[in-house]
Amino acid sequence: MKFEKKLKNVYTLYYLLTLHRHLDGDPEKIKKDQNKRIHKLMKRAYKIPFYKQRFIESGTTPDDYHCAEDLVKFPVMTKPELRLWMQQEWENHPEKHDSLNVHSTSGSSGVPLKVLYTQKEQGCSDANWIRVLRDAGYHPFRGKMYSFQTSHRDPNAKPKRDSFIQALGVMRRKVVSEDNCVGDGIADTIRDINEYKPDMICFRRNCLVRIVAYAEKHNMPLWKPKLYCPISEMVDDVTRNLLKKTLGDGLIDAYGLSEMGSFIYQYPGNDFYYVANDIAAVNVYDDNNNLADDGRIIITSLYKKTYPLINYDTRDLGKSYVKDGLRYMTKIEGRMNDMVLHEDGVESSALMLMRIANKTVGLSQFRFIEETYHDMLIQLAPDPNNTSMSHEEIEKHFIDSVRELYGDEFNIRIEWMDVLPPDKTGKQRCFVCNVKKEQ
């Protein structure tokens, strides 16, 4: 292992000591610190050829950027643009391969994106996550965490053993494979959780849903942790209600991207989301790329300086407000590229479909699948402990709501399942379009 990789833990400790201890605080000081970081980042980006060209295109210089609001002057970066730049950096600098961390994501498009992190950048991302958990009430040194093995880790690598310090009861963490979270293997996972008694559980959303649904269906007791965080996928209202009913009120809703980690958080008891303003600048743009309260979430990473991420279009939609100069999110919705395709070439957002479930009780999961221009499959999984609406009532609600949106455009088929399986990426998408545009 290269020397640089051994430094990651040093960088993590450094950032733990230098990042803001809490996400809230004096708004004036938080904004002032963020402004300095933005200007410093833009001065550094000006020296990078990829970004130098974007400065030239916009007719601006680093002196034009002193706050998050100024970033509206800078070109928006798309995922294809980032993918091409990252690939070029990887191919043109093979001497750096051993010292970099590489995060890959396929996303809903299925086209892989390779994101490069230096060890210092990775250390900051790790420190931010520790800081957030600590801020939410988890003790990183005394607490016990139960989490899944990420896709970034070599699946053939041997399971990590507890370090000497973990054997002493410090920074305890049990990392398990999600491969066991299917079928009756879920029972083993539940028993393992009950035996370990973690203070914090971090799993993909769909795995947590399957665990909770299995426990309810089979009347198995399930340990209630102080905190839990469903990650990698959006937490819709159906999922939120299901998890809170079984696991309690300790839900941390974290929003992030493989491109830069997580940076927006809703803590238990809050009806809004904090932005980690010392590592990210978050703006919301309307369709004309003007600042707005509702619209596309546009992010700038303030800690990725070797491979900056500036004015990146997440393609996610959000609702927000600005108070004392700081932006707070109130809702984060699905991707804009979750589009319903119509035979006349028109596209419409699938968000209207996904909102149908918000007025339904008695469900643990749902998924819309547009199979053809005129066929839609709706997959539903029942909540075994909530039968206030019958299957027939739920089906009628979904069918009537879809027809209210699209008339008789779709033949609708309902399929009930005990648990909805994730797709091949391991994620649980609420809308899938199987129609090819050239069709």
Side-chain angles (χ1 to χ4, degrees), residues 36-268:
K36 288 181 179 179
R37 292 172 187 266
I38 289 172
H39 184 58
K40 186 175 181 180
L41 172 69
M42 300 306 277
K43 288 173 64 177
R44 182 151 185 165
Y46 195 71
K47 300 176 183 178
I48 299 173
F50 174 82
Y51 279 106
K52 179 67 174 290
Q53 182 60 37
R54 300 176 83 82
F55 276 103
I56 294 172
E57 291 172 4
S58 62
T60 62
T61 71
D63 287 336
D64 292 303
Y65 301 94
H66 295 276
C67 63
E69 294 77 10
D70 286 342
L71 292 168
V72 74
K73 308 171 191 174
F74 204 70
V76 171
M77 180 197 288
T78 65
K79 189 170 185 175
E81 289 172 329
L82 177 62
R83 180 186 296 114
L84 179 59
W85 179 45
M86 289 287 93
Q87 191 62 39
Q88 289 172 342
E89 289 291 319
W90 181 258
E91 293 175 353
N92 293 339
H93 299 284
E95 75 281 1
K96 296 182 179 180
H97 289 186
D98 289 342
S99 63
L100 294 173
N101 288 327
V102 181
H103 292 189
S104 295
T105 175
S106 61
S108 57
S109 67
V111 181
L113 168 63
K114 181 181 295 182
V115 184
L116 309 181
Y117 284 77
T118 65
Q119 299 308 312
K120 189 172 184 179
E121 292 169 347
Q122 187 66 62
C124 183
S125 180
D126 292 350
N128 171 63
W129 181 234
I130 295 171
R131 179 261 304 263
V132 165
L133 294 183
R134 182 183 61 197
D135 202 17
Y138 176 77
H139 198 291
F141 295 102
R142 295 197 303 266
K144 294 168 64 177
M145 183 180 294
Y146 194 89
S147 65
F148 73 99
Q149 179 176 304
T150 71
S151 59
H152 306 308
R153 188 171 182 268
D154 182 359
N156 297 317
K158 294 181 179 179
K160 289 185 177 180
R161 296 182 178 180
D162 281 352
S163 65
F164 172 73
I165 193 170
Q166 288 172 325
L168 294 176
V170 179
M171 299 183 71
R172 290 167 294 175
R173 181 183 181 188
K174 187 167 188 177
V175 180
V176 300
S177 171
E178 288 188 341
D179 293 342
N180 209 36
C181 287
V182 293
D184 289 333
I186 299 176
D188 294 330
T189 300
I190 292 174
R191 284 189 283 267
D192 196 39
I193 291 173
N194 290 340
E195 181 180 351
Y196 191 65
K197 294 181 172 57
D199 302 295
M200 174 83 187
I201 296 179
C202 289
F203 262 67
R204 292 184 196 271
R205 184 201 69 178
N206 74 82
C207 282
L208 269 181
V209 168
R210 278 181 274 152
I211 289 170
V212 167
Y214 190 96
E216 290 186 346
K217 181 178 180 181
H218 295 85
N219 294 315
M220 291 186 68
L222 178 60
W223 171 257
K224 186 180 293 186
K226 180 179 181 180
L227 298 166
Y228 58 98
C229 184
I231 61 178
S232 297
E233 303 163 51
M234 294 283 186
V235 178
D236 55 75
D237 290 342
V238 170
T239 299
R240 185 184 299 272
N241 293 335
L242 179 76
L243 296 179
K244 292 181 75 171
K245 183 173 61 178
T246 300
L247 295 177
D249 294 326
L251 171 65
I252 300 176
D253 191 4
Y255 172 80
L257 309 166
S258 291
E259 291 89 321
M260 69 164 284
S262 59
F263 52 93
I264 298 177
Y265 309 92
Q266 184 183 55
Y267 290 162

Side-chain angles (χ1 to χ4, degrees), residues 11-25:
Y11 289 132
T12 301
L13 178 60
Y14 166 77
Y15 281 111
L16 275 174
L17 296 174
T18 56
L19 289 175
H20 297 164
R21 184 171 178 82
H22 305 289
L23 295 188
D24 61 352

Side-chain angles (χ1 to χ4, degrees), residues 238 340 350 352-358 360 363 365-372 374-382 391-407 410-421 428-432 434:
V238 170
V340 179
M352 299 305 296
L353 282 174
M354 291 183 274
R355 288 171 181 162
I356 292 172
N358 293 343
T360 310
L363 289 179
Q365 294 173 286
F366 68 94
R367 179 190 290 141
F368 295 87
I369 302 177
E370 185 183 1
E371 299 177 307
T372 72
H374 299 290
D375 295 284
M376 182 173 292
L377 170 64
I378 303 175
Q379 295 177 325
L380 304 173
H391 283 201
E392 290 76 15
E393 289 174 323
I394 294 174
E395 289 181 13
K396 184 178 186 303
H397 169 67
F398 271 77
I399 292 172
D400 289 349
S401 298
V402 172
R403 286 180 176 162
E404 185 177 341
L405 289 172
Y406 304 116
F410 293 103
N411 298 313
I412 303 169
R413 182 163 56 94
I414 305 285
E415 179 183 14
W416 286 92
M417 308 174 71
D418 289 338
V419 177
L420 304 190
Q428 188 78 60
R429 296 169 61 194
C430 295
F431 174 77
V432 177
N434 290 331

